[in-house]
Amino acid sequence: MRPTRLFRGLALAAALAAAAACVGLLSAAPRAGRAAGSPPPSPGPTFSEYVVLSTGSAPLYAFFVPLSALVWRRRQRIEPVVLLVNDVPGSRAWGTDAATSTMLRYLARWNFTENLLFVDHSDQRALNNVALAQVGRAFVAGLCGLHGRLRGIGDANTTLVTTDADIWPVASGATFLPRGNGSMGKITNALCCGETYLFNTTFREFPMSTVALPVWAWRRAMRYDCICDVSAGPGCLSEAFARHINAELAVAFNYTSAVELSFAQWSMDQRLVSYRISQLDAGVRGAIELAPRQTHADRIDRSGWQHRSWDEAALAAFVDAHVLRPGHEEGAWKSLAELLRPLLGVQPGDPLWAEVEQYVSEYRGAVASQALAHSLFPDAKKGRL
């Protein structure tokens, strides 16, 4: 991701209300049609592994989140956590414009409503919206009181995997998870990045796609326990993120030159997480697998993307795909669709694929209409309309 601007968000309650108006029901909202005094609904399934996706509302990344969530759930059997950062200043929030409204509607249609975490951020001193979305992934393990499909995060032994919204997993879920036999965590492509420097310390830098650790290890590494009891109210999440993440980055930036500031925000998530992992005691560090990769050979990368058909035999040589952007544009989507169908295990005539195509069409139209509105009414882009 590339940082663009500092932002002010609306209160999380407003974001939740706007999203609820769009998708009909969020996990925090009461269930429609339930009589007073009736027993609570079944808590539903629990999961032992989650993957954390995050994005601001910019189409470059936000478009991919419903599709990436589908791939992780269907192909990897790993349940997504979707972190949505309110990054548009002024009066706009998730669900109040056509593009985010479309995205939320399809997340609800594909049963991800209970997987959503909305984060508002109004303190602009330490980080921009992209940095918040990125760094926020490392703090999901500190959330308490989650319910519905996310309640498994309350188990200290649940594994949380970080990844990027614009990376689709191709290999099996086991590729990204620790193999056991004394291994409790796994960092994929762990030798990619060499050494970096932070807090007067030199250490190996790891990529955020992917870091898989149990909840207890995330908490020990990041030096928090329960940063927020989500059941206490909708403002808790934003306040906790602002407090903890800003505190971390305010200290981190004391060791970063002004010239390096922009890049530092872009990569601060993996630098901060890598530093914290380096400070774990030797026994814990030794139980984290450092899995090397050759991404020039085992990644389907947008830098050398070729339009082609894919089947399982062709996919077997690859670990993941760094997908074309902007994915909603017609030319890119034609190539992406050829890859996404086998990843989802569907054919062109399947009902799910028809919904995917409809989502892409509606999202493309929403972005186009917003671009037209912004060109005709520039103040709309600033949230003044």
Side-chain angles (χ1 to χ4, degrees):
M1 297 186 187
R2 181 178 300 169
T4 55
R5 64 189 182 280
L6 299 178
F7 69 92
R8 296 181 290 112
L10 296 176
L12 180 62
L16 286 167
C22 168
V23 302
L25 184 64
L26 288 177
S27 58
R31 294 182 180 267
R34 181 181 159 199
S38 62
S42 169
T46 57
F47 305 93
S48 57
E49 293 100 18
Y50 292 88
V51 60
V52 185
L53 306 170
S54 64
T55 185
S57 63
L60 198 63
Y61 293 96
F63 163 76
F64 289 112
V65 167
L67 305 177
S68 300
L70 277 174
V71 174
W72 278 100
R73 179 185 279 175
R74 290 175 63 89
R75 187 172 182 84
Q76 311 302 319
R77 302 295 190 264
I78 299 178
E79 189 68 5
V81 181
V82 181
L83 196 63
L84 300 177
V85 176
N86 179 39
D87 59 3
V88 182
S91 62
R92 296 187 179 274
W94 283 93
T96 61
D97 62 79
T100 60
S101 176
T102 300
M103 177 185 166
L104 290 173
R105 190 168 67 255
Y106 279 87
L107 281 167
R109 179 176 295 182
W110 295 329
N111 197 27
F112 291 112
T113 297
E114 291 185 347
N115 302 64
L116 307 183
L117 296 173
F118 292 84
V119 182
D120 172 68
H121 185 62
S122 58
D123 187 341
Q124 302 184 28
R125 291 174 298 174
L127 77 167
N128 57 41
N129 59 303
V130 176
L132 176 60
Q134 291 178 321
V135 179
R137 292 174 290 181
F139 287 81
V140 169
L143 303 180
C144 307
L146 291 166
H147 54 92
R149 301 183 74 88
L150 298 187
R151 75 184 188 280
I153 296 174
D155 185 339
N157 293 314
T158 293
T159 298
L160 289 184
V161 185
T162 58
T163 189
D164 296 333
D166 59 345
I167 290 183
W168 289 343
V170 174
S172 70
T175 302
F176 307 100
L177 297 172
R179 62 175 178 265
N181 298 323
S183 170
M184 61 83 185
K186 186 173 185 177
I187 301 174
T188 309
N189 200 22
L191 308 184
C192 72
C193 304
E195 292 188 332
T196 190
Y197 180 85
L198 195 67
F199 301 121
N200 285 333
T201 305
T202 299
F203 51 91
R204 179 178 294 279
E205 184 172 356
F206 301 123
M208 292 293 282
S209 186
T210 57
V211 178
L213 296 174
V215 166
W216 70 261
W218 277 112
R219 292 187 172 196
R220 186 177 299 183
M222 299 307 295
R223 303 177 186 177
Y224 55 62
D225 188 15
C226 178
I227 66 170
C228 163
D229 185 343
V230 177
S231 64
C236 164
L237 189 60
S238 297
E239 292 168 4
F241 272 52
R243 183 172 66 256
H244 284 265
I245 298 176
N246 262 328
E248 293 276 8
L249 297 188
V251 174
F253 287 155
N254 287 337
Y255 299 90
T256 305
S257 69
V259 175
E260 196 186 8
L261 182 61
S262 178
F263 178 79
Q265 290 212 41
W266 179 80
S267 64
M268 184 52 66
D269 54 341
Q270 63 187 43
R271 294 174 71 189
L272 182 61
V273 169
S274 301
Y275 170 75
R276 294 301 186 205
I277 290 174
S278 77
Q279 299 302 296
L280 289 168
D281 62 74
V284 176
R285 292 201 315 273
I288 302 173
E289 299 174 44
L290 302 183
R293 283 183 56 188
Q294 296 181 342
T295 53
H296 66 279
D298 65 17
R299 168 171 285 173
I300 305 168
D301 196 82
R302 55 175 167 250
S303 63
W305 197 283
Q306 295 181 351
H307 181 77
R308 56 168 291 183
S309 297
W310 294 93
D311 56 24
E312 287 297 332
L315 292 173
F318 297 97
V319 172
D320 59 20
H322 205 194
V323 295
L324 292 170
R325 303 183 320 203
H328 61 278
E329 293 186 353
E330 189 170 0
W333 174 246
K334 286 181 179 179
S335 290
L336 291 174
E338 294 296 325
L339 175 61
L340 185 59
R341 276 197 299 271
L343 293 183
L344 295 179
V346 298
Q347 299 297 323
D350 288 351
L352 176 59
W353 187 250
E355 292 183 359
V356 168
E357 291 275 27
Q358 186 65 25
Y359 164 66
V360 176
S361 176
E362 290 183 21
Y363 193 92
R364 183 186 301 142
V367 171
S369 67
Q370 287 174 201
L372 177 61
H374 293 162
S375 68
L376 296 176
F377 307 102
D379 280 350
K381 197 168 185 178
K382 303 173 184 177
R384 295 176 184 171
L385 292 183

